[in-house]
Amino acid sequence: MAPLFSARSRAIEPFHVMALLGRAHELQAAGHDVIHLEIGEPDFATAEPIVRAGQAALAAGHTRYTAARGLPALREALAGFYAQRYGVSIDPERILITPGGSGALLLASALLVDPGKHWLLADPGYPCNRHFLRLVEGDAQLVPVGPESNYQLTPELVERHWNPDSVGALLASPANPTGSVLSREQLAGLSGALRARGGQLLVDEIYHGLTYGLDAPSVLEVDDEAYVLNSFSKYFGMTGWRLGWLVAPENAVPSLEKLAQNLYISAPTMAQHAALACFQPDTLAILEARRAEFARRRDYLLPALRELGFRIAVEPQGAFYLYADISAFGGDAYAFCRHFLETEHVAITPGLDFGRFQANCHVRFAYTQSLPRLEQAVERIARGLKSWNPDAV
């Protein structure tokens, strides 16, 4: 007999890119040089001051559970960071430390979404967002967005797609996969549109700090009642440490703490102690130098891909991705990605991983490789385009 797995587990889709990643590892094991432009993980190791702080925490015996909301010292450090970077005053009691940004999204979904209720999400967008909603028996109401709205929701789109089962919206700024950023005025407009309908606003600010030519405003600058999820993974470069945080309205904290106690007890203790070093001046100097390097990579790869015929309608202002339309080349995105992996050993992500709207004619490039490797990748892609035949797939 087939296992009686839950309907929710069957409804949650796998990452299509993971099959490509598995094949990439097979090619590497066979001796091929694969250039990885598919995975959204900074290629830099965690900054040395953070590593030293983690090692010191282990040596000092900081290996027990913390409180469910996290180390008070880390919550206070984050409150100070918000005051310095955004000019907003956040009570540390409103901050919960979570196991990655995913832990923050899990808490917010469990708190705010009842079975059958909907949240508005931009399509394309990060796929796990809709899957977390499904996990709590809610639903993602995917709203098609394109270059005309900078791949973001707008108050007009909220008005058009809101229905009796809608209870809120989840935004991302900077966004994955497009790198688009919401301005302070746009955040205020969206906040107003949701408030007018009694809706909740949750903003994914995981790529804050990784912006180019501007600083992304926090939604907390315009809406103190919004929920914010963030992570130490991207700007702070702590992907494997699994540490994030959630900023919530004061009246939501007791319920969120109760959920945290039951869902995961606490975030990793060593990682929390290590993260205290994130806000030191020497650490921030390292992180800002890395941001500048990502900007150089974007400024190389964006025109190089456009010159090859990829249509990238919106210049990304943040994150480390380029979302490219491959319509000029024909064929579907997954086959396109498979072709470049097999023939040129360049791994990229098909648009199918980011939603439904025009997904089959888009791919995502992550510029999480050094400039010389990006130059190699462009040379290989140019060669691979000559051998690409969509009719032969």
Side-chain angles (χ1 to χ4, degrees):
M1 293 180 61
L4 297 177
F5 296 148
S6 67
R8 76 177 67 85
S9 70
R10 297 194 300 271
I12 293 174
E13 303 169 29
F15 280 117
H16 293 88
V17 74
M18 297 313 292
L20 293 170
L21 180 61
R23 176 58 181 154
H25 289 158
E26 289 176 0
L27 290 167
Q28 285 179 302
H32 297 287
D33 175 35
V34 177
I35 301 178
H36 290 276
L37 306 183
E38 80 280 36
I39 300 300
E41 181 172 24
D43 54 316
F44 302 107
T46 301
E48 184 59 30
I50 301 172
V51 174
R52 288 199 304 267
Q55 292 169 332
L58 279 177
H62 296 308
T63 57
R64 297 178 178 274
Y65 297 130
T66 69
R69 281 188 288 162
L71 285 176
L74 183 54
R75 293 189 283 112
E76 290 166 7
L78 278 166
F81 185 70
Y82 275 93
Q84 177 196 26
R85 180 151 293 195
Y86 303 107
V88 295
S89 177
I90 303 294
D91 187 340
E93 296 300 308
R94 292 174 52 193
I95 301 172
L96 293 94
I97 309 300
T98 59
S102 298
L105 183 56
L106 176 61
L107 288 184
S109 301
L111 179 74
L112 299 173
V113 183
D114 276 323
K117 297 301 181 181
H118 299 168
W119 277 59
L120 304 184
L121 276 69
D123 179 3
Y126 182 56
C128 290
N129 293 342
R130 66 180 188 267
H131 295 157
F132 270 108
L133 294 175
R134 180 64 185 88
L135 190 67
V136 297
E137 302 298 337
D139 197 15
Q141 190 171 344
L142 298 181
V143 178
V145 295
E148 67 283 350
S149 67
N150 203 29
Y151 293 103
Q152 292 281 1
L153 296 181
T154 65
E156 294 75 22
L157 288 171
V158 169
E159 180 179 3
R160 189 185 314 162
H161 291 272
W162 194 265
N163 66 46
D165 287 325
S166 302
V167 294
L170 171 55
L171 314 175
S173 177
N176 177 8
T178 62
S180 63
V181 174
L182 288 163
S183 69
R184 186 175 287 101
E185 292 72 25
Q186 289 170 319
L187 287 166
L190 285 159
S191 171
L194 288 160
R195 280 180 178 269
R197 291 162 177 79
Q200 300 280 356
L201 176 57
L202 174 62
V203 182
D204 171 348
E205 298 185 353
I206 283 173
Y207 291 95
H208 268 228
L210 291 174
T211 54
Y212 316 109
L214 79 169
D215 290 322
S218 173
V219 69
L220 296 172
E221 297 176 42
V222 300
D223 185 351
D224 191 55
E225 293 296 304
Y227 292 78
V228 172
L229 66 93
N230 210 320
S231 170
F232 287 93
S233 290
K234 308 302 183 180
Y235 176 67
F236 294 105
M238 296 179 66
T239 51
W241 300 74
R242 306 312 305 135
L243 200 66
W245 72 89
L246 177 68
V247 183
E250 182 179 359
N251 62 4
V253 171
S255 294
L256 288 166
E257 183 175 21
K258 174 181 63 178
L259 288 168
Q261 290 167 342
N262 282 275
L263 290 172
Y264 55 77
I265 301 178
S266 66
T269 301
M270 180 188 69
Q272 293 188 62
H273 283 277
L276 289 169
C278 287
F279 311 104
Q280 296 174 357
D282 56 339
T283 306
L284 292 172
I286 294 170
L287 303 180
E288 286 299 304
R290 292 177 176 183
R291 168 162 54 169
E293 175 60 20
F294 279 125
R296 285 189 287 271
R297 296 174 183 184
R298 181 202 65 165
D299 293 345
Y300 164 73
L301 191 59
L302 176 62
L305 291 175
R306 282 174 167 169
E307 188 173 340
L308 291 178
F310 292 90
R311 181 173 177 266
I312 303 171
V314 173
E315 179 177 306
Q317 299 169 301
F320 33 65
Y321 306 117
L322 296 171
Y323 195 59
D325 187 335
I326 62 168
S327 299
F329 310 119
D332 72 83
Y334 191 87
F336 189 82
C337 294
R338 183 81 185 201
H339 167 76
F340 283 94
L341 179 59
E342 295 292 347
T343 64
E344 302 298 335
H345 306 139
V346 176
I348 54 180
T349 303
L352 297 171
D353 271 340
F354 305 107
R356 306 283 185 269
F357 183 58
Q358 298 181 347
N360 210 30
C361 61
H362 282 82
V363 298
R364 189 194 73 178
F365 296 87
Y367 43 94
T368 50
Q369 296 288 318
S370 68
L371 269 174
R373 291 292 276 171
L374 293 178
E375 291 168 353
Q376 282 184 299
V378 168
E379 291 175 2
R380 296 185 190 184
I381 292 167
R383 187 170 60 231
L385 285 172
K386 295 176 182 177
S387 62
W388 165 243
N389 181 5
D391 296 328
V393 176

